[in-house]
Amino acid sequence: MVTHWQIWKAIDKLAELYSLSVSGLAKQAGLDPTTFNKSKRVLPSGKERWPSMESISKILEATQTSFEDFTTLVTGQAAIGKESQGKPIPVIGFAQAGTGGFFGDSGFPVGAGWDHVSFPDVGDDNAYALEVSGDSMEPFYRAGDIIVVSPAAEVRRGDRVVVKTREGEVLAKQLTRKTASRIELHSWNASHPDLVFPLEEIDWMARIVWASQ
Amino acid sequence: MVTHWQIWKAIDKLAELYSLSVSGLAKQAGLDPTTFNKSKRVLPSGKERWPSMESISKILEATQTSFEDFTTLVTGQAAIGKESQGKPIPVIGFAQAGTGGFFGDSGFPVGAGWDHVSFPDVGDDNAYALEVSGDSMEPFYRAGDIIVVSPAAEVRRGDRVVVKTREGEVLAKQLTRKTASRIELHSWNASHPDLVFPLEEIDWMARIVWASQ
DNA sequence: CTATTAAGAGGATTAATTTCCTGTTATTCT
DNA sequence: AGAATAACAGGAAATTAATCCTCTTAATAG
């Protein structure tokens, strides 16, 4: 929760941190100097006036302040959650991914054989990358493309997903439908048919979150 | 720093956390159900619309979410948006990119108006990101997707590119052919025709190197 | 001390966000 | 399968935030 005064006090504190008045801060942010006037924070009617997120964005940009640091000013305490660092995530080729020993039962990367590439945190410690080979995923993904997969991301219809079958195949397709008993996958490539699998034939399915082009 | 789409994604995430749609979240917060419609996040003019801090306050109140937790949703999004490895790169909406003043003569981002997000080094100090709106780039890119563009990357046939015309239009297409006098671009969407431009009608063309999914 | 500039009060105007509204599509319930 | 309800697109109207403006007070420079 956040109150009207907490936001305005945070703006005041931000100005102070940079040795500015609030009209100076507004000017530096490209806003009118009177935008943050104290006299405009509560209207004659008693209604509290709240700045827009755009104005907040502009003052953070002008002072090179992160949103977490602004939160510290708002709440007066350190923002929770450490700043995630970009970290190495495992990468392997699609051609290898289907063979044994690279994925645990729930679709997380295990074992040796994985290379690592650096990628910013996608909010999932188990994220990994796959390198595309062959033409079965054209025109979306072509040989040499890297896709980043997040097992933790929620999967919905229309999403592009990686699916591992019980037979050991690893596929990238678009999920067109998921019912209680089966999934339907659209192949982007007319040379390859659309697929339907009963859920019991699927080991796991995970959403693709980034792709190189 | 905080970007337009980070705020909107955080609102989407908050709804998801409470098993709500964004119209359900708005209603629960005492706002109009259409307040957070995706169709209202970018205006027809290309202007990005930002919610007020009052609306943010109301949704946090309605879900008993702290401002720190909201900050985690804002910053703990997909890799883009984290201050991590790699450097901040400029990001702007496609809808705005075509209007004046955002690109220099050679296709490098210039001027005010750009937000910044962090992305691993793509080997190009002038790399930037564009946020997709509308449906003209489907099925490859959908509204809300982020694409990362590298002016320094070599462009070859078959690559996905961003092109700026002399008329001021910014397009993402696939380069099918480049001759000494013209380029041919394939539209992935049958509702939009393939295009041919004489080179003199093109300000610049740059390769897309990453895309969120 | 005086002149100049910055800050800020507060009203009017403009621009932006939210609400209201109609309609279509999707989802849920029976 | 059909009915009811929710979600959401998107335009118009209402409300709210920012800008423009005039003026007074405070701070700074000379």
Side-chain angles (χ1 to χ4, degrees):
Chain A
M1 274 120 352
V2 65
T3 70
H4 170 258
W5 284 116
Q6 279 179 303
I7 297 300
W8 285 114
K9 288 305 179 199
I11 291 171
D12 289 339
K13 284 178 199 165
L14 183 63
E16 225 177 285
L17 269 173
Y18 291 91
S19 302
L20 291 167
S21 60
V22 294
S23 72
L25 175 64
K27 277 163 68 183
Q28 185 157 313
L31 296 164
D32 191 77
T34 61
T35 302
F36 300 138
N37 281 6
K38 291 181 179 63
S39 62
K40 290 190 182 299
R41 295 181 184 182
V42 179
L43 303 179
S45 62
K47 171 76 166 73
E48 292 173 337
R49 173 173 159 258
W50 297 72
S52 67
M53 277 301 316
E54 183 172 27
S55 296
I56 300 297
S57 167
K58 285 178 171 176
I59 63 176
L60 299 185
E61 179 75 28
T63 52
Q64 291 294 294
T65 303
S66 69
F67 197 68
E68 292 96 336
D69 288 344
F70 182 69
T71 299
T72 302
L73 298 175
V74 170
T75 60
Q77 57 194 323
I80 67 160
K82 61 189 183 223
E83 298 244 352
S84 276
Q85 293 297 315
K87 65 173 187 133
I89 64 174
V91 59
I92 203 162
F94 253 103
Q96 296 165 281
T99 63
F102 293 109
F103 287 98
D105 288 343
S106 299
F108 299 162
V110 298
W114 290 84
D115 287 322
H116 285 80
V117 294
S118 183
F119 202 84
D121 193 6
V122 297
D124 178 358
D125 286 343
N126 295 305
Y128 56 91
L130 296 170
E131 181 177 1
V132 176
S133 50
D135 67 0
S136 64
M137 295 165 225
E138 287 190 11
F140 280 83
Y141 306 127
R142 297 168 292 191
D145 287 354
I146 301 290
I147 63 177
V148 177
V149 182
S150 171
E154 183 179 345
V155 173
R156 286 186 291 267
R157 269 194 307 125
D159 286 344
R160 295 169 192 154
V161 295
V162 171
V163 170
K164 181 160 186 281
T165 67
R166 286 282 165 82
E167 291 174 11
E169 204 174 357
V170 174
L171 314 166
K173 304 286 184 190
Q174 184 168 13
L175 182 70
T176 51
R177 192 167 180 215
K178 184 182 179 190
T179 71
S181 59
R182 69 174 191 273
I183 60 169
E184 297 176 21
L185 301 172
H186 176 59
S187 177
W188 301 296
N189 188 320
S191 324
H192 294 78
D194 287 358
L195 301 170
V196 180
F197 289 100
L199 288 185
E200 57 267 23
E201 285 181 27
I202 299 300
D203 271 348
W204 49 260
M205 173 166 69
R207 186 154 82 86
I208 299 168
V209 291
W210 279 95
S212 71
Q213 300 292 289
Chain B
M1 276 127 347
V2 65
T3 70
H4 168 258
W5 69 271
Q6 278 181 300
I7 297 300
W8 285 112
K9 294 294 187 201
I11 290 170
D12 289 339
K13 207 62 167 173
L14 183 64
E16 225 175 280
L17 273 173
Y18 291 92
S19 301
L20 291 167
S21 59
V22 295
S23 74
L25 175 65
K27 277 163 68 180
Q28 186 156 315
L31 297 164
D32 189 79
T34 61
T35 303
F36 300 139
N37 280 5
K38 292 181 179 66
S39 62
K40 291 190 179 300
R41 298 179 183 185
V42 178
L43 303 180
S45 62
K47 169 74 165 77
E48 289 172 339
R49 172 172 161 258
W50 298 71
S52 65
M53 276 302 314
E54 184 173 23
S55 296
I56 300 296
S57 166
K58 287 178 171 176
I59 63 176
L60 299 186
E61 182 75 30
T63 53
Q64 292 293 295
T65 302
S66 68
F67 196 68
E68 294 94 333
D69 287 345
F70 182 68
T71 299
T72 301
L73 297 176
V74 170
T75 58
Q77 291 293 315
I80 201 160
K82 274 270 190 197
E83 287 295 323
S84 64
Q85 247 171 298
K87 62 183 188 103
I89 65 172
V91 59
I92 205 162
F94 253 102
Q96 292 166 288
T99 65
F102 293 113
F103 288 99
D105 288 344
S106 298
F108 299 163
V110 297
W114 290 84
D115 286 317
H116 284 80
V117 293
S118 189
F119 201 83
D121 193 8
V122 297
D124 179 356
D125 286 344
N126 294 305
Y128 57 91
L130 295 170
E131 181 178 4
V132 177
S133 52
D135 67 359
S136 63
M137 295 166 226
E138 288 191 9
F140 282 83
Y141 306 129
R142 297 169 291 192
D145 287 352
I146 300 293
I147 61 176
V148 178
V149 183
S150 170
E154 186 179 349
V155 174
R156 286 184 292 264
R157 264 193 310 123
D159 286 342
R160 294 169 194 151
V161 294
V162 172
V163 171
K164 181 155 185 284
T165 66
R166 286 284 164 82
E167 290 175 13
E169 203 174 358
V170 174
L171 314 164
K173 303 286 183 188
Q174 183 167 14
L175 182 68
T176 51
R177 192 168 180 216
K178 183 182 180 193
T179 71
S181 59
R182 71 173 189 274
I183 59 168
E184 296 176 22
L185 301 172
H186 175 58
S187 178
W188 302 295
N189 188 318
S191 325
H192 294 78
D194 288 356
L195 300 171
V196 179
F197 289 99
L199 289 184
E200 57 268 22
E201 284 180 27
I202 299 298
D203 270 349
W204 48 261
M205 175 166 68
R207 187 154 82 86
I208 299 168
V209 291
W210 279 94
S212 72
Q213 301 294 287

